[in-house]
Amino acid sequence: MKDKQIGELIQAEEERQVGMINLIASENYVSDDVLEALGSKLTNKYAEGYPGARYYGGNNVIDQVERECQKRALELFIRQPADRVNWAVNVQPLSGSPANVAVYLALVPSNGKIMGMTLAHGGHLTHGHKVSITGKMWQQVPFGVDPKTELINYEEIKQLALKEKPNIIVAGFTAYPRVIEWQKFRDIADACGAYLMVDISHVAGLVAGGAYPSPFPYADVVTTTTHKTLRGPRSALIFSRKINARPTNLKTTVNEVNGFSAGQPRLISELIDKAVFPGMQGGPHLNQIAAVAVALGEAATPEFADYTRQVVQNAQALAGELSRLGWRLVSGGTDSHLLLVDTWLNGKGLSGGEASDRLEKAGIIVNKNAIPGDTRPPIDPSGIRLGTAAETTRGKKERDMVEIAGRINKILRE
Ligand code: DSN
């Protein structure tokens, strides 16, 4: 690279990545093929619009790239062709937050209600938190986990949904370690007349590989980032069922702008496409979309399915050993790639910030994270979140996780 300054910084970051243990639950290591697509000349092309309907000339090749990405996404997540025909996918969102906003723009009237898990209990900012645009343009109906079990209490969520009548229910989390019963969320959405959106950003790879239950049989909309357990570049996908929008939900900003009127049947996939472009974004990043297509191809292999099983086994080995060494884990363990460790222990231990700093000095990278019912501030909460997707890509197995748990224990108790 001719630019020495940036070249040296890239080199330095590559060395940092090699020289430490990465337990950040939302990170992973992409293949060289994914990097090659990301760094390709596809970045030079403007392609506002969708395949076959662009606003610029010269998109013959680009259309093929985007269509192939859509095809791979649908084939990977919806294995049965008979089910697949009922779904559409938008591969243009630049990342997870804009993808979620686009869904609300399409389906939730201004000031309508988004029912989602609070950030403090493992939700995401874009599930309606007040500091996010999703909590400013719409109202959040927040739900959390049961204070005793730290598990989702479906009956409580149902009662809340019946009382509040949200327009959309968001299931899916960034810091909830357990399996989610998607059918129960479907029943709740049906009971209160809401759309069911599932955000599988964290577990997408596990779903694709068969190591975590698929929400596709139950959801109306599924959003995901592509760079966590799915092991692709930073990007996002929005899957939507080809069903008509509910007439009561048709009066949304995106529909008004596009001249869709209440009473005129519209597929939700059509509304979501309009919300992504021109509602939220201009030209899609085709180099990124090509890299997603490469990652989706990799995720369809038997090796990837083995990888996802190993990710979960590694998380369970890490959780088991940390528990054995006396650490309290939120909900007692994990069914996925991530776990939450209560490092604060009601004031007898370390804050999440101090735990994270100590581990980083010793070459183990984690993120500080709130635990349910946290009494400490988000900037220095009571716990840390650990995940095994990245280290499993680097070939780690259960015995390595036991060894890493021992190191974590020693560093945090010194
Ligand atoms: N930053 C992501 C995570 O770490 O879970 C969510 O946006």
Side-chain angles (χ1 to χ4, degrees):
M1 184 180 283
K2 289 202 194 82
D3 186 326
K4 290 267 174 298
Q5 192 184 0
I6 295 299
E8 280 168 17
L9 288 172
I10 292 172
Q11 180 70 29
E13 173 57 14
E14 284 182 9
E15 282 162 18
R16 186 200 68 82
Q17 289 187 12
V18 169
M20 46 88 223
I21 292 171
N22 184 1
L23 296 180
I24 294 194
S26 47
E27 291 185 6
N28 213 326
Y29 298 101
V30 298
S31 68
D32 288 347
D33 284 1
V34 168
L35 283 180
E36 196 177 323
L38 260 186
S40 69
K41 291 180 180 162
L42 297 185
T43 196
N44 296 336
K45 188 72 194 100
Y46 245 119
E48 280 171 330
Y50 289 100
R54 305 282 189 190
Y55 290 81
Y56 294 75
N59 274 305
N60 174 32
V61 177
I62 291 300
D63 278 3
Q64 294 175 58
V65 172
E66 186 165 343
R67 284 201 175 104
E68 183 61 22
C69 187
Q70 291 170 324
K71 178 170 167 282
R72 290 185 188 193
L74 291 169
E75 284 176 1
L76 180 65
F77 284 99
I78 308 161
R79 295 291 165 105
Q80 298 301 326
D83 296 336
R84 203 179 301 143
V85 295
N86 298 320
W87 286 84
V89 64
N90 188 306
V91 301
Q92 293 193 3
L94 303 179
S95 206
S97 295
N100 286 352
V101 175
V103 175
Y104 308 141
L105 263 183
L107 303 181
V108 185
S110 308
N111 212 32
K113 291 182 180 174
I114 298 169
M115 183 163 169
M117 191 180 247
T118 60
L119 189 63
H121 285 209
H124 188 253
L125 286 168
T126 59
H127 297 173
H129 194 284
K130 64 177 189 295
V131 301
S132 145
I133 190 169
T134 63
K136 297 185 195 298
M137 280 185 61
W138 299 281
Q139 302 174 56
Q140 189 189 37
V141 178
F143 65 86
V145 293
D146 182 278
K148 282 211 181 69
T149 61
E150 297 173 317
L151 297 173
I152 290 173
N153 181 334
Y154 296 93
E155 190 47 39
E156 221 168 78
I157 294 173
K158 184 174 177 187
Q159 293 313 321
L160 184 63
L162 288 172
K163 178 166 161 264
E164 295 284 348
K165 299 217 173 343
N167 300 85
I168 197 164
I169 296 178
V170 185
F173 316 98
T174 64
Y176 183 74
R178 297 302 190 170
V179 153
I180 292 166
E181 294 181 61
W182 305 121
Q183 172 75 62
K184 290 197 174 155
F185 270 108
R186 176 75 260 166
D187 294 343
I188 296 167
D190 287 342
C192 69
Y195 293 112
L196 177 60
M197 164 175 154
V198 176
D199 179 346
I200 56 166
S201 291
H202 263 269
V203 293
L206 308 183
V207 170
Y212 193 93
S214 170
F216 280 86
Y218 312 101
D220 299 312
V221 176
V222 178
T223 60
T224 184
T225 51
T226 49
H227 48 274
K228 299 184 174 85
T229 54
L230 192 54
R231 213 162 63 182
R234 289 180 179 278
S235 195
L237 306 170
I238 305 173
F239 297 87
S240 53
R241 215 176 259 285
K242 289 184 193 161
I243 52 171
N244 281 334
R246 291 156 201 253
T248 47
N249 292 152
L250 262 172
K251 202 170 160 35
T252 65
T253 313
V254 72
N255 301 330
E256 282 162 15
V257 169
N258 289 297
F260 298 163
S261 60
Q264 184 183 4
R266 288 284 163 187
L267 292 179
I268 62 173
S269 50
E270 216 180 343
L271 302 181
I272 289 169
D273 283 351
K274 289 280 189 210
V276 172
F277 173 83
M280 290 277 299
Q281 300 179 183
H285 297 181
L286 260 303
N287 57 320
Q288 196 183 12
I289 290 172
V292 171
V294 172
L296 293 168
E298 293 171 355
T301 60
E303 293 74 25
F304 189 82
D306 292 346
Y307 159 74
T308 63
R309 271 192 293 279
Q310 189 66 53
V311 167
V312 176
Q313 285 164 14
N314 282 353
Q316 289 173 340
L318 186 60
E321 185 64 3
L322 285 169
S323 289
R324 197 187 68 78
L325 292 168
W327 292 95
R328 192 186 86 76
L329 304 183
V330 170
S331 84
T334 181
D335 306 320
S336 66
H337 63 300
L338 70 83
L339 45 139
L340 283 168
V341 187
D342 175 355
T343 53
W344 182 240
L345 299 169
N346 281 325
K348 292 193 221 75
L350 305 172
S351 72
E354 188 176 350
S356 162
D357 289 348
R358 275 201 202 180
L359 289 168
E360 180 157 358
K361 283 198 189 97
I364 299 177
I365 313 296
V366 305
N367 70 276
K368 53 193 172 188
N369 213 100
I371 60 171
D374 212 322
T375 50
R376 297 185 54 81
I379 192 69
D380 190 12
S382 298
I384 53 175
R385 185 183 66 167
L386 312 180
T388 52
E391 287 303 320
T392 307
T393 294
R394 299 167 105 187
K396 299 268 192 324
K397 296 279 193 311
E398 289 92 327
R399 63 179 174 280
D400 303 303
M401 293 297 144
V402 169
E403 196 258 321
I404 290 170
R407 283 174 65 183
I408 292 173
N409 178 56
K410 192 156 172 281
I411 294 160
L412 297 187
R413 291 197 198 277
E414 264 166 6

